[in-house]
C-alpha cells in the first residue's frame, strides 16, 4: 500500500511540473525515478518512450503506466496514471472556473518563454546522455538520421509521415537487419581481436 | 445516452485512436466539437494556448475542460478518465508481454531499431521547442518568405539563458524543477 502511495505521489509531482510535452518529462523522470528512487534505468525510460510513441494515447501517460506496471503490476499502473493526471485536472478545473484569460496574461507568457528555454536545454542533455547506448554503430546512426530528417522536414513537405509509422518502421527494420545486444558485443570484440592481429 | 457515459465514451474514442503525442488528439477534438457542440473551435485554440502554459498535454486539458463545461466537476474527471483508459489498458498488456519476452531475440532486435528512432524523436521535439524559443518568429517567417537574413533572427537573451542553463546543469546536480522555476523568473524579469 505504501509503495502504491509512493508511486501516486511521485507521478503527481511529475504531472504538476511537466511543462512542454511528453519528451520534456524525460529529465524529470531521470532525476526522480532513476537517480533518486532507483525504480528504473535511463535505458528503460528510453524504451518506454519508443513504445509510447507508437501506441495510442498521450506519451507521458503511456510512460507513467509503464513504470507503474513494472513496479507494482496493475494497481501500480493505475496509481501512477492517476497520479500523473491529478495535477493537470485540478489546474484546468481552476482555470476553467476562474481564469478565462489565463494564457493571455503578459506575466504568464514571459514566464513560459523562460521555461521553454529550460525545456530545450533539458531535452538536449537527455539526448546526450542516451546517445552512446542508442546509436551504437553505422546502421543505427542511419536509422537515427532518416527518422530525424523525416520528422523535422514533415512540416515543410506537402505530405507528412505520422511519427507512429516511423517508429514502427524502425522496429521492423531492426528485426530484419539489427543485432541483439549480445550479437553486438560479440561483433565488437571480434573486430578488436582482428585489429590487434593486424597491429602485430 | 446520458451525459456522463457519453463524455466518457467520446473521450475514450479519442484516446484510443490518437497515436503519438498530445497534438495527435487535435483532429479528433475538432470532430467532436462539430458532432457534440460541447466546445467550440475557439475553445480548442484557447486550450492550445493554455496547454502551452501549463503542465499537461492538450488532450488531457481539453477533456477536463470539455467535461467541466458540460457536466461540472464530475464531468471533468469522467472525461479525463475516458481519455486515459485506452492507453492504460494497452500499455498494461504490452508491459506484460515485454516482461515475458524481453530476452527474445526478435524483441531485442526490434529495440535495435526503436532506440535510435526514439532518440531521433526526442531530438526533433527539442529542435521544435528551440525553433519557437530561440528564434524570433517574425524574422523567421520573413526569412522563409524569401526575405534577407538578419541577425534579429536570433533571440539573444533566450540563447544566452540557454547557454548559462546548459553549463549550470553540467556543474550542478540540482533537480530540473529548480532550473525550470529559475527560468520562469528570468523570463519574467527579461520579458522574454
Amino acid at each position: 500500500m505504501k509503495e502504491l502511495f509512493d508511486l501516486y505521489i511521485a507521478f503527481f509531482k511529475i504531472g504538476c511540473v511537466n511543462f512542454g510535452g511528453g519528451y520534456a518529462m524525460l529529465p524529470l523522470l531521470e532525476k526522480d525515478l532513476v537517480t533518486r528512487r532507483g525504480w528504473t534505468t535511463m535505458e528503460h525510460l528510453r524504451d518506454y518512450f519508443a513504445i509510447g510513441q507508437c501506441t495510442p494515447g498521450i506519451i507521458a501517460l503511456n510512460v507513467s503506466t509503464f513504470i507503474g506496471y513494472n513496479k507494482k503490476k496493475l494497481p501500480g499502473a493505475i496509481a501512477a496514471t492517476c497520479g500523473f493526471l491529478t495535477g493537470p485536472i485540478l489546474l484546468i478545473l481552476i482555470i476553467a472556473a476562474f481564469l478565462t484569460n489565463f494564457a493571455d496574461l503578459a506575466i504568464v507568457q514571459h514566464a513560459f518563454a523562460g521555461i521553454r528555454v529550460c525545456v530545450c536545454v533539458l531535452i538536449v542533455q537527455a539526448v546526450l546522455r542516451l546517445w552512446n547506448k542508442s546509436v551504437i554503430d553505422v546502421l543505427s546512426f542511419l536509422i537515427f538520421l532518416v527518422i530525424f530528417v523525416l520528422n523535422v522536414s514533415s512540416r515543410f513537405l506537402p505530405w507528412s509521415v505520422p511519427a507512429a509509422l516511423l517508429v514502427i518502421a524502425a522496429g521492423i527494420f531492426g528485426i530484419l537487419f539489427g543485432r541483439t545486444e549480445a550479437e553486438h558485443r560479440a561483433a565488437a570484440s571480434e573486430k578488436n581481436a582482428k585489429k590487434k592481429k593486424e597491429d602485430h | 445516452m446520458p451525459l456522463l457515459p457519453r463524455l466518457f465514451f467520446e473521450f475514450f474514442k479519442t484516446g484510443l485512436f490518437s497515436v503519438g503525442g498530445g497534438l495527435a488528439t487535435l483532429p479528433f477534438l475538432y470532430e467532436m466539437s462539430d458532432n457534440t457542440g460541447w466546445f467550440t473551435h475557439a475553445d480548442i485554440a484557447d486550450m492550445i494556448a493554455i496547454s502551452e502554459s501549463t503542465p499537461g498535454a492538450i488532450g488531457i486539458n481539453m477533456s477536463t475542460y470539455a467535461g467541466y463545461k458540460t457536466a461540472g466537476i464530475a464531468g471533468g474527471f469522467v472525461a479525463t478518465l475516458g481519455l486515459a483508459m485506452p492507453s492504460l489498458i494497452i500499455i498494461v498488456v504490452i508491459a506484460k508481454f515485454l516482461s515475458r519476452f524481453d530476452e527474445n531475440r526478435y524483441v531485442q532486435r526490434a529495440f535495435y531499431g526503436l532506440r535510435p528512432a526514439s532518440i531521433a524523436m526526442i531530438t526533433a521535439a527539442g529542435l521544435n521547442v528551440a525553433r519557437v524559443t530561440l528564434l524570433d518568429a517574425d524574422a523567421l517567417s520573413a526569412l522563409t518568405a524569401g526575405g534577407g537574413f538578419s541577425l534579429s533572427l536570433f533571440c539573444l537573451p533566450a540563447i544566452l539563458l540557454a547557454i548559462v542553463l546548459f553549463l549550470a546543469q553540467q556543474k550542478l546536480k540540482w533537480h530540473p524543477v529548480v532550473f525550470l522555476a529559475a527560468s520562469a523568473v528570468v523570463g519574467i524579469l527579461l520579458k522574454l
Side-chain angles (χ1 to χ4, degrees):
Chain A
M1 201 60 214
K2 166 133 188 349
E3 272 183 302
L4 286 181
F5 184 70
D6 283 347
L7 264 173
Y8 179 87
I9 292 295
F11 279 93
F12 170 71
K13 283 194 207 152
I14 291 164
C16 287
V17 291
N18 176 36
F19 298 99
Y23 289 119
M25 186 162 114
L26 186 56
L28 297 168
L29 291 174
E30 185 191 12
K31 189 71 183 182
D32 270 358
L33 305 186
V34 179
T35 315
R36 194 167 282 178
R37 298 180 195 257
W39 283 353
T40 183
T41 65
M42 192 64 171
E43 289 74 40
H44 276 135
L45 286 179
R46 173 205 51 202
D47 296 352
Y48 299 157
F49 271 90
I51 294 168
Q53 177 79 57
C54 53
T55 49
I58 286 141
I59 297 174
L61 266 184
N62 294 348
V63 174
S64 310
T65 310
F66 237 120
I67 299 169
Y69 181 86
N70 281 351
K71 193 88 185 100
K72 288 303 271 178
K73 301 291 166 203
L74 187 61
I78 294 171
T81 310
C82 289
F84 184 79
L85 285 174
T86 305
I89 290 182
L90 294 180
L91 203 75
I92 293 298
L93 286 179
I94 292 169
I95 289 177
F98 302 111
L99 297 164
T100 43
N101 59 349
F102 173 77
D104 298 331
L105 299 173
I107 190 165
V108 173
Q109 289 184 348
H110 293 317
F112 281 93
I115 285 177
R116 276 196 294 270
V117 174
C118 189
V119 168
C120 270
V121 174
L122 288 173
I123 291 180
V124 168
Q125 288 179 330
V127 168
L128 289 178
R129 276 193 296 271
L130 281 173
W131 182 269
N132 281 340
K133 285 185 179 162
S134 313
V135 181
I136 49 174
D137 51 19
V138 178
L139 194 60
S140 54
F141 179 72
L142 283 180
I143 297 174
F144 168 84
L145 207 62
V146 169
I147 298 216
F148 177 73
V149 169
L150 281 176
N151 202 330
V152 169
S153 61
S154 67
R155 188 197 324 280
F156 309 105
L157 296 173
W159 39 270
S160 77
V161 193
L165 220 61
L166 291 176
V167 174
I168 291 171
I172 294 173
F173 187 87
I175 293 176
L176 295 177
F177 303 107
R179 294 162 165 170
T180 67
E181 268 169 52
E183 285 166 352
H184 177 71
R185 271 196 300 273
S189 62
E190 196 176 304
K191 207 171 161 190
N192 271 347
K194 214 173 173 186
K195 203 174 162 211
K196 253 183 201 157
K197 229 178 186 177
E198 277 169 13
D199 287 347
H200 283 295
Chain B
M1 207 191 284
L3 192 54
L4 283 181
R6 188 150 176 239
L7 266 173
F8 184 87
F9 178 67
E10 285 291 334
F11 278 98
F12 186 91
K13 267 198 314 195
T14 304
L16 184 61
F17 292 117
S18 58
V19 178
L23 290 180
T25 52
L26 278 181
F28 296 94
L29 294 177
Y30 282 113
E31 198 186 311
M32 202 191 300
S33 156
D34 294 337
N35 291 342
T36 64
W38 285 338
F39 45 89
T40 64
H41 286 200
D43 283 336
I44 299 178
D46 285 351
M47 197 47 69
I48 296 174
I50 289 178
S51 301
E52 276 167 9
S53 341
T54 56
I58 168 117
I60 299 175
N61 292 349
M62 200 68 229
S63 58
T64 311
Y65 180 79
Y68 175 78
K69 284 289 172 195
T70 45
I73 291 178
F77 278 95
V78 165
T80 313
L81 285 180
L83 183 85
M85 197 58 79
S87 69
L88 181 74
I89 296 169
I90 290 168
I91 293 293
V92 164
V93 171
I94 292 181
K96 213 171 199 149
F97 171 86
L98 256 196
S99 60
R100 206 172 301 164
F101 293 101
D102 63 351
E103 295 295 317
N104 179 291
R105 152 160 199 258
Y106 294 102
V107 172
Q108 284 202 9
R109 282 184 167 186
F111 273 104
Y112 174 93
L114 289 177
R115 280 169 192 148
S118 184
I119 298 292
M121 296 286 176
I122 299 172
T123 314
L127 199 72
N128 206 10
V129 185
R131 189 179 54 88
V132 298
T133 310
L134 306 182
L135 300 182
D136 186 83
D138 298 332
L140 186 66
S141 55
L143 186 70
T144 46
F149 175 82
S150 81
L151 268 182
S152 66
L153 179 63
F154 301 104
C155 187
L156 274 183
I159 292 174
L160 216 64
L161 175 60
I163 295 171
V164 171
L165 281 171
F166 186 86
L167 295 176
Q169 283 174 27
Q170 298 278 352
K171 285 256 173 257
L172 309 163
K173 297 287 164 212
W174 292 347
H175 197 285
V177 170
V178 178
F179 293 108
L180 285 167
S183 308
V185 174
V186 173
I188 293 170
L189 291 179
L190 295 181
K191 295 201 187 304
L192 275 178

